[in-house]
Structure formats: structure tokens, C-alpha cells
Amino acid sequence: MKNSLQIFASLVLVCFCTISFAQKDFQGKAYYMSKTTMDLDQWGGREMTPEQKKRIEERMKSFLEKEYILTFNKEESIYKEDEKLEAPGSGGRFGGFASSFTGGPKYKNVKSKELLQDQEFFGKQFLIKDELKSLEWKMGTETKQIGQYTCFKATATKTVDEFDWRSMRRRGDRDEDKKEAEKKNDSLKKDNDPMNEIEVPKTIEVVAWYTPQVPINQGPDDYWGLPGLILEINADRTTILCTKIVMNPEEKEEIEKPKKGDEVTKAEYNEIITKKMQEMREMYGGRRGGRSGGGRRH
């Protein structure tokens, strides 16, 4: 009975709020904080001193913790990083590597099911164009308060992109895979290729918190498809949390589709990354082979 009353109350709220959202020039902005955790012990951190760990964590902070702005209307949205001036050298070598896999502005149109993303990879600009895909959300009745908004819980299983660095981990990081990973690593170590130690899970569990008080089916990053704005996402090691919402700001911002770059699908873009990574592996292996070969000649 209690659950039924909660659902009924939320539906009434949606109907009430929809009246104020009917205007043609409706627009809103949602501000998000994104944080990805990384266990340094899984990447050789056990051999580091606490001071060394702290320095590396500070350098990694610039890409593990970011702020974004989602500008939306009834059909469209664009999700952009709220870029800030970074100190020279912040992020280190890994920061430069990860930045090649970090997307630029992401445009979503929930009516035409269009997804566009501005993406730079090793100095070249791409425009990834694909169909906007929805997750199979399982709606729950559990609620919690985020700021002044009452949010409902929804869960889904998401297929992970093979180059999503946020879910990258060392092989055997998950308990059930450790024994099998140890066997694989014994043979992979012979190649002396550090990329062989990295894996990405095929799927992850996603928990979303959305509010019917903002009755649009938009959300941060590539998340959408719920009967209310998504204010929080928990996906693997990444949490995205809304910190502020501005409804109908005085200065309207035109939601423009990204246009720059070579147009490719997501599958085509992943092929480009795969080829580039293979080139880097061959280059890395060739250098190691040259050094070891020189040693044998002497």
C-alpha cells in the first residue's frame, strides 16, 4: 500500500510540474561532479611510500575528478566539461594518455535518438555519430533526497565500451578472475607488453537516482531514459552527482550540435583506436627488442 501511494504521489507531481515545462523556450542547466576512484595498489602502489602515493593521487586528480554542465530542453541536451585552468604538469604521463580517451561535448536528442560527441584522439579531431541507445532500466520505489529534490532509484546492466578508461583494471583485480588471470599473466609477461595487463569488464551495474520534479528524460554523460532528470549515477568506480539545477536561466544558451572533426560511428572510432594501440605496441616491442638484441651482440 505504501509503495502504491509513493508511485501515485510521484505521478501527481509529474503532472503538476509538466504544466510549467510546456513552454517552448523552456531550458535548464544541471551542474555535476564526477569522481572515479583508482586503487594504486593494483598498479604497483604497494611498493610506493605514502608520500609518493599522495603525489601521484594529486597529479591524477585533474582527470579523476571533473565538473560538468548539462544544458537541456525538452528534447535536446549537451554535456560539457566545466574546464578550469590546470597547473603545469598536472596529470603526468597517465593524464596525457587518459585525455586521449576522454570525450568532448556530448549531444543527445531523445526525440530523434541522435548521439553526437566531439572527440580528440592523439591530436586528431573526430565527430562520433551514433544512435542514442537506452538502458533497460528497472524501476524501484526506494527514494532519497538530493538537495531539494526527491529522487527515485533505478538500476540497469550496462555494456562497457572496451576503451572506457574509467573501468580499466589490472587482470585479476576481481576475486573470481584471479586464478585464471594468474595463468594468463604467466604467458603474457613473456611479451613484455604492459597493455596485456589491462582489462575492461564486459558489463557493469548502474544505479541511477532521478527526480520526477524535473520531468525530462535526460541525464549526465550518455545516461537518459527515465521519467525525470537523473541527478546521480553510480557506475562501477565512477559517481556522477548533481550539485545544482538552474531552471529557465535569464541568459538562454543555444544547444548546438558538435560539428568539427571526421565523422565516424562508435564502432569505426574504436577500430581507429585499436590500430593506433597496435602501432604503439609494435613500437614499444621493437624498442625493447633492439635493446635486448644489442645486449646479445656485446
Side-chain angles (χ1 to χ4, degrees), residues 3 18 20 24 43 51 70 72 112 146-147 149 160 177 188-189 195 200 204-205 225 235 240 253:
N3 290 345
T18 302
S20 63
K24 292 182 180 179
W43 302 93
E51 291 76 18
L70 179 74
F72 57 85
S112 64
I146 298 180
Y149 298 94
V160 184
D177 293 342
L188 291 173
K189 282 177 183 176
M195 294 302 294
V200 176
I204 57 173
E205 296 302 310
I240 307 174
E253 179 181 330

Side-chain angles (χ1 to χ4, degrees), residues 246-265:
V246 178
M247 303 305 300
N248 291 315
E250 292 183 5
E251 295 184 9
K252 295 289 191 296
E253 179 181 330
E254 186 177 352
I255 299 177
E256 296 182 353
K257 296 181 180 182
K259 298 176 181 177
K260 296 180 181 180
D262 294 345
E263 188 174 307
V264 293
T265 64

